[in-house]
Amino acid sequence: MSYRVGVDIGGSFTDFAFFNDQTGDLKSLKVFSRPDEPGAEVTRGIARAGELYGIAPGDISYFTHGTTVGINTVIQRKGLQLALFATEGFIDVLELERLKIPDMYNILSKRPDPLITRDMVWGIPGRLDATGAEKTPVDAEAVRAAALSAKAAGAEGVVIALIHAYRNPAHEEQVAQIVEEATGLPVFLSSKTWPIIREYERTITAVIGGYVQPRVAHYLTQLQAALKGAGVTPEPRLTKSNGGLMTAEEGKSQCVDMILSGTASGVIGASYVAGIAGIGNCMSLDIGGTSADVAVIEDGKPAFGTGEQIGDFRIYIPSVSVSSIGEGGGSIAWVDRQNVLRVGPESAGSTPGPACYGKGGTRATITDAFVALGMVGHSGLGYDTVTVDRALSVAAIEPLAGATGQSVEDTAEAIIEIAVSSMFAGVSGLVSRFGIDPRDFSMLAFGGAGPMLACFLARELGMREVVVPTTPGVLSALGGLIADVKNDFLRTVYADLTPDVLPSLAEAFAEMETAAKQWLVEDQGHAGNYTILHSAEMRYRGQSFEIETPLTPEMLAGDGAALAEAFHEEHRRLYGHADPEATVQVIALRLVIAGTTAKPVLQTAEPVAAEAAPIGQTTIRVDGAAREVSLYRRTELKPGHWLKGPAIVLQDDTTTVIPPGFRLDTDRFSNLRISEEA
């Protein structure tokens, strides 16, 4: 047997998806995450797969992995001590940012402290003009002196971000060589990280890449050693922020590309399920132990963008567009100094975890609220890695109830309502950003806590249905397993769109395509099919920002009218108007190559069109009242089965809670389709 394995390490659980290449069978499991010993959860999961399914390490032919180590390093500010070498006269780039405050409605809001403090920034004499031509050569002695000063000040690495390096990297490369020869410190070049035109965006992206590099490289080295020790021979691959894959060795040096590795995996998995099930427009809701991650999927494809939030900062690389809300199953409920109940963003994580896990946790979490109300805990959680103890949840909520003057049940419901309210606010921002109406969208819920909370959130948003896939608890692991080998290439142009510039655009695309194919075949060892997508970042002359316009190489023929029309149409689609008489500028060219990987085929069956049979009854508290509800086992819900809420569906990796007034139908792929009855 040959198995492809996808792994997603979250704050509480590590999820595994095992796909049999010969039979198409898909299996899954969960184990507790081990932030204290990275790699241990992976070896434990592989051993557990042998116990449960008879999968030996030697049976694993392909291994993919999504991780949050990079983003956690930024959030916790535990990265490399860096120095920044910027062009003389531009040394305040990190301090100035974009002169925006995080919360425009809070007069006390202030920008976060930069990752590199002002005393660790050096100005470098030397200058290129906007075309990339040299105006003033680099002062080698000044660079050498700055490098020695930076090392003496405690710098463990140097970020080099010079003006106009996006057009010509020569000065950055020259400075890097001098720094390496003088100090031996690692250097990180903005022109190699992501050569975009704007200096702050280019600089902060390079800074974040350098900041996380040591921890990411150390983690990946440990992972490689753990897999080798467990007998897994394939080179591990990592999910990237753009939803693709790269090798672990590549990830050690190109850490910035995998900052959003974990969240991207879930969206890719959700997109795949939505596409197969014929769900055109949906929002993915991935709720784990720490956060709720929401993304927009239209026509079966996730929304992409740049400028995603990484802790206190934004990173400007192509990535799956995900909004994270600090509400997860392990988010801790607490009472502030005014005795007002709050929830999150602090999480109980995997150790000690929610109080009901019985691992020493004493603070109430969202999961404890569901357990105290009787909605969760009727079977083991996480493939029986956890046995839920309701008494422990009640004991954890009692101090909160006493502080707020409510009963335990009222407090537990309030915890859920606060969590749903926070998610509503977060999703509303996403809705405004993409200009969509949630009533036209389905909600695809996954993660260990997604199906638990989804109906309550969808009800508030007025969404048309909630979709729960067959293995919601491990969908992120499946997303990594099915991700394509993918990379982005960028070339800054900054030219008016005129007939005489078209040959240079065609030549640039040809060079990018050659580099992309070389990366795919030689660097990634991909011998299968692939696709190439072309686009250009364009704007009207005088506009401050550009929009990405999909194009084909044929549009570069003739006088460029087809390319201009493509931009006008995209501008019209986004903003409702266009100006065909205005001069169009091409700021940058982009090319995306994706090597196709094997995908599992979801099992289907003819619908039975029958009411599902419950396996038992229980009493829960929901919507302010005690109610008798039916319990159902997920494995017994076949295509065509239906049921009415309130109800609870039990399975190995999650619990689906269906409030009163909802109906569940099982589609031909065995997805649960839950909608509010008229």
Side-chain angles (χ1 to χ4, degrees):
M1 290 293 182
S2 174
Y3 284 89
R4 299 163 58 87
V5 181
V7 180
D8 178 66
I9 298 181
S12 299
F13 287 99
T14 294
D15 307 330
F16 291 78
F18 298 87
F19 173 56
N20 189 313
D21 281 326
Q22 282 75 45
T23 66
D25 189 29
L26 185 66
K27 299 184 182 297
S28 57
L29 62 85
K30 284 177 174 280
V31 299
F32 278 114
S33 294
R34 290 289 304 274
D36 58 320
E37 190 180 343
E41 60 270 272
V42 176
T43 54
R44 173 57 184 149
I46 291 170
R48 184 70 174 148
E51 297 167 6
L52 290 177
Y53 308 127
I55 300 173
D59 295 335
I60 298 174
S61 60
Y62 186 86
F63 185 96
T64 63
H65 172 49
T67 178
T68 57
V69 65
I71 190 172
N72 289 342
T73 299
V74 178
I75 291 172
Q76 298 166 8
R77 290 183 176 252
K78 293 183 177 180
L80 194 67
Q81 175 66 47
L82 293 171
L84 172 63
F85 285 10
T87 299
E88 196 171 54
F90 294 84
I91 59 176
D92 294 309
V93 59
L94 294 181
E95 296 282 344
L96 292 173
E97 295 188 8
R98 282 291 169 188
L99 295 178
K100 294 179 179 179
I101 60 174
D103 184 356
M104 69 176 69
Y105 302 108
N106 181 359
I107 61 173
L108 300 179
S109 179
K110 60 181 182 180
R111 296 197 300 274
D113 294 332
L115 292 175
I116 301 177
T117 56
R118 180 62 177 75
D119 61 313
M120 294 297 289
V121 183
W122 278 262
I124 301 300
R127 190 69 183 269
L128 303 174
D129 66 17
T131 68
E134 184 176 78
K135 292 185 66 177
T136 306
V138 169
D139 187 333
E141 287 305 315
V143 174
R144 188 171 292 105
L148 294 173
S149 296
K151 187 172 184 179
E156 300 168 323
V158 177
V159 175
I160 303 170
L162 305 180
I163 291 294
H164 302 312
Y166 61 90
R167 294 299 294 263
N168 182 357
H171 274 192
E172 284 196 352
E173 292 169 353
Q174 183 181 350
V175 172
Q177 183 178 355
I178 296 170
V179 172
E180 289 174 333
E181 291 174 352
T183 66
L185 293 174
V187 295
F188 308 94
L189 278 61
S190 73
S191 56
K192 287 189 176 180
T193 302
W194 190 242
I196 52 179
I197 190 170
R198 293 180 174 85
E199 63 189 86
Y200 170 70
E201 286 78 358
R202 179 162 44 87
T203 302
I204 189 61
T205 300
V207 167
I208 289 175
Y211 189 74
V212 305
Q213 195 274 335
R215 289 194 71 182
V216 169
H218 175 70
Y219 170 80
L220 294 177
T221 299
Q222 284 191 303
L223 174 67
Q224 289 171 314
L227 289 172
K228 185 176 180 180
V232 178
T233 57
E235 168 71 8
R237 293 179 179 270
L238 308 171
T239 50
K240 301 171 64 175
S241 301
N242 67 0
L245 292 172
M246 65 181 177
T247 64
E249 279 301 313
E250 192 176 18
K252 292 179 183 180
S253 59
Q254 298 180 25
C255 313
V256 72
D257 288 335
M258 51 164 290
I259 288 287
L260 293 170
S261 168
T263 53
S265 296
V267 181
I268 295 304
S271 301
Y272 177 70
V273 170
I276 292 293
I279 304 169
N281 296 331
C282 72
M283 274 190 264
S284 65
L285 178 69
D286 178 7
I287 307 181
T290 304
S291 66
D293 299 322
V294 185
V296 172
I297 300 170
E298 295 186 273
D299 298 324
K301 297 179 181 179
F304 287 85
T306 58
E308 297 302 310
Q309 192 77 24
I310 306 294
D312 291 328
F313 308 97
R314 293 189 181 277
I315 189 167
Y316 295 87
I317 57 171
S319 57
V320 174
S321 190
V322 180
S323 292
S324 292
I325 306 158
E327 307 287 348
S331 293
I332 293 171
W334 52 287
V335 174
D336 66 16
R337 286 180 294 182
Q338 287 74 41
N339 285 336
V340 174
L341 186 64
R342 309 279 189 180
V343 179
E346 185 182 357
S347 172
S350 61
T351 305
C356 62
Y357 286 6
K359 297 178 62 183
T362 59
R363 302 174 69 186
T365 66
I366 294 174
T367 296
D368 288 308
F370 275 91
V371 171
L373 295 172
M375 290 187 276
V376 171
H378 303 285
S379 63
L381 297 179
Y383 295 83
D384 293 326
T385 57
V386 177
T387 300
V388 172
D389 189 331
R390 182 176 181 273
L392 294 176
S393 289
V394 171
I397 295 173
E398 282 175 343
L400 304 177
T404 57
Q406 301 182 98
S407 67
V408 168
E409 290 78 11
D410 287 340
T411 304
E413 279 208 274
I415 290 171
I416 295 172
E417 289 167 0
I418 292 169
V420 171
S421 178
S422 294
M423 293 178 193
F424 179 92
V427 173
S428 296
L430 188 72
V431 165
S432 299
R433 176 180 174 186
F434 287 100
I436 60 175
D437 187 339
R439 294 171 296 182
D440 298 330
F441 280 67
S442 301
M443 175 179 287
L444 202 151
F446 59 102
M452 187 172 75
L453 281 152
C455 286
F456 298 97
L457 178 58
R459 182 169 62 184
E460 295 300 316
L461 290 164
M463 299 183 74
R464 62 188 183 193
E465 68 172 346
V466 169
V467 182
V468 182
T470 55
T471 54
V474 296
L475 191 65
S476 290
L478 175 64
L481 188 152
I482 64 176
D484 292 330
V485 183
K486 185 177 178 182
N487 204 7
D488 296 82
F489 296 82
L490 181 79
R491 180 76 61 86
T492 299
V493 177
Y494 207 118
D496 290 349
L497 181 57
T498 58
D500 60 331
V501 80
L502 294 177
S504 64
L505 301 184
E507 181 181 354
F509 267 129
E511 293 173 356
M512 294 165 69
E513 188 167 325
T514 298
K517 292 177 181 178
Q518 181 178 343
W519 174 86
L520 184 66
V521 176
E522 297 181 11
D523 296 351
Q524 304 301 309
H526 184 82
N529 296 329
Y530 62 87
T531 59
I532 293 179
L533 299 177
H534 302 78
S535 63
E537 295 180 0
M538 304 170 70
R539 69 187 185 192
Y540 293 118
R541 183 192 287 173
Q543 286 185 316
S544 297
F545 294 92
E546 51 277 355
I547 60 177
E548 185 177 354
T549 304
L551 58 87
T552 63
E554 290 74 24
M555 291 181 182
L556 301 177
D559 59 0
L563 180 54
E565 181 55 36
F567 168 71
H568 296 317
E569 184 58 34
E570 187 68 9
H571 197 282
R572 191 176 292 111
R573 184 185 72 83
L574 290 173
Y575 303 115
H577 67 92
D579 186 0
E581 303 303 318
T583 300
V584 176
Q585 289 183 316
V586 180
I587 305 302
L589 304 178
R590 287 186 55 187
L591 182 146
V592 180
I593 190 168
T596 307
T597 60
K599 308 291 191 291
V601 178
L602 301 183
Q603 302 297 317
T604 62
E606 290 299 318
V608 295
E611 184 174 3
I615 61 170
Q617 302 287 128
T618 192
T619 301
I620 69 171
R621 170 74 176 266
V622 62
D623 291 346
R627 302 174 189 270
E628 289 291 321
V629 302
S630 297
L631 300 175
Y632 298 85
R633 197 172 304 283
R634 180 68 187 267
T635 54
E636 297 178 10
L637 296 180
K638 307 302 180 184
H641 273 147
W642 61 270
L643 60 93
K644 292 187 176 183
I648 296 171
V649 179
L650 310 173
Q651 64 185 102
D652 288 332
D653 55 353
T654 192
T655 299
T656 302
V657 178
I658 305 163
F662 282 79
R663 172 187 167 111
L664 179 153
D665 290 273
T666 309
D667 70 14
R668 66 190 186 97
F669 297 99
S670 295
N671 297 312
L672 307 183
R673 311 286 286 263
I674 308 166
S675 56
E676 198 166 5
E677 293 187 295

